[in-house]
Amino acid sequence: MKISRIKLVGIVLVLAVIAITSLIPPAQAQIPDSLTITSASASCMSGSYVVHYEQLALGARITMLVRQGIPGTFLIQVYDGETLLGQDTGAFDYLITSTHPGTIPFSTEPTGTSVTFYLYNTSPLTSALSNPFSGVGSAHAQGAGYVDSFVAPFSPCTEPVLPSLPTPGCDLVDLTGAVVGRFIASTNAYYAPSESALTYPVITIDQGTTLWVFGQDATHAYYKVQLGCTPLWVPVDTMTPNFNYPWFGWPLPTNVVD
């Protein structure tokens, strides 16, 4: 009877050792990576990315560890060929599916037509088990141990649009012989001295408006006037001399002009 009890105790101890051992991860155990780059883009002097973490069902022994509050971390780097442009880091919760957008300023403008984003799992848990990196947060050699990569087209910086240089304005219009007249009736304006040359859209000049008058057409039926920076033609019978200062009724020019 005593022997049976000893055997029973021995069996219990063996089972206990096996159970405890199962909770201790092997030194070189590999945790499947569930970090991916779902999108990335680059233009001028920066790049943007979205990293996705999918919650893993790793079993009780991993869950026991992560429930102790060990966070997951990642490093993402951007390369132009073999040139490191910049990097960023982030953290995630092993027990929660999540996305992590970010922006990476570039140290120099890329010279190629695309850049490559490399994603590394730098979690203390992963590093402790597989030790693929030199240390959490350290820079990694291009392509060494990354868990995902993404090639993104690159849009180069564009030259800034310079403001248009000023063109000769109305202040350069030759006003020799011109006189300011006043409209005694509202009228439509014409782009040529003809009733068929109505402007489009239609320009209407209101009664009481004053404009420079340069002369008349060959038929003496239209005055040539200046509206803003645009020369127009209006019927002669719609205008009269301006009796306000400084014109005091000075006659409007009747010389023929083009």
Side-chain angles (χ1 to χ4, degrees):
M1 191 69 175
K2 291 183 178 179
I3 296 176
S4 298
R5 289 180 177 177
I6 292 174
K7 287 183 178 179
L8 180 60
V9 171
I11 293 172
V12 171
L13 289 175
V14 170
L15 292 176
V17 170
I18 293 174
I20 294 172
T21 304
S22 67
L23 296 176
I24 302 174
Q28 297 300 323
Q30 296 292 325
I31 298 177
D33 283 304
S34 61
L35 286 169
T36 56
I37 304 174
T38 57
S39 65
S41 61
S43 62
C44 196
M45 294 296 292
S46 68
S48 59
Y49 67 87
V50 176
V51 168
H52 177 76
Y53 172 74
E54 186 68 28
Q55 176 186 350
L56 291 178
L58 299 179
R61 60 190 179 87
I62 300 302
T63 303
M64 289 284 288
L65 291 174
V66 299
R67 284 189 183 278
Q68 294 177 9
I70 301 176
T73 59
F74 66 84
L75 168 72
I76 188 163
Q77 295 181 328
V78 187
Y79 276 84
D80 173 27
E82 296 182 355
T83 302
L84 176 63
L85 300 173
Q87 64 183 35
D88 193 19
T89 59
F92 60 92
D93 188 326
Y94 282 106
L95 302 179
I96 301 175
T97 296
S98 55
T99 57
H100 306 272
T103 301
I104 302 177
F106 294 161
S107 58
T108 183
E109 183 179 0
T111 58
T113 59
S114 64
V115 297
T116 304
F117 291 73
Y118 291 97
L119 175 62
Y120 305 88
N121 189 339
T122 56
S123 304
L125 179 60
T126 304
S127 300
L129 295 177
S130 58
N131 193 27
F133 309 122
S134 58
V136 177
S138 63
H140 304 290
Q142 178 188 6
Y146 66 89
V147 298
D148 196 18
S149 63
F150 195 103
V151 177
F154 171 70
S155 300
C157 299
T158 56
E159 292 294 332
V161 178
L162 297 177
S164 300
L165 295 177
T167 56
C170 303
D171 57 331
L172 298 182
V173 174
D174 186 2
L175 297 177
T176 303
V179 176
V180 172
R182 179 178 296 275
F183 284 84
I184 58 174
S186 298
T187 181
N188 292 329
Y190 302 85
Y191 60 85
S194 170
E195 195 172 50
S196 62
L198 189 65
T199 62
Y200 182 83
V202 175
I203 297 175
T204 300
I205 302 175
D206 295 331
Q207 179 182 354
T209 301
T210 57
L211 293 178
W212 286 100
V213 179
F214 296 90
Q216 297 180 346
D217 71 309
T219 66
H220 298 283
Y222 292 87
Y223 280 125
K224 184 178 182 180
V225 298
Q226 186 83 13
L227 179 62
C229 292
T230 304
L232 295 170
W233 296 86
V234 294
V236 166
D237 59 5
T238 62
M239 297 199 75
T240 187
N242 180 12
F243 289 91
N244 292 336
Y245 173 87
W247 299 102
F248 300 117
W250 194 272
L252 302 182
T254 57
N255 54 298
V256 177
V257 292
D258 295 329

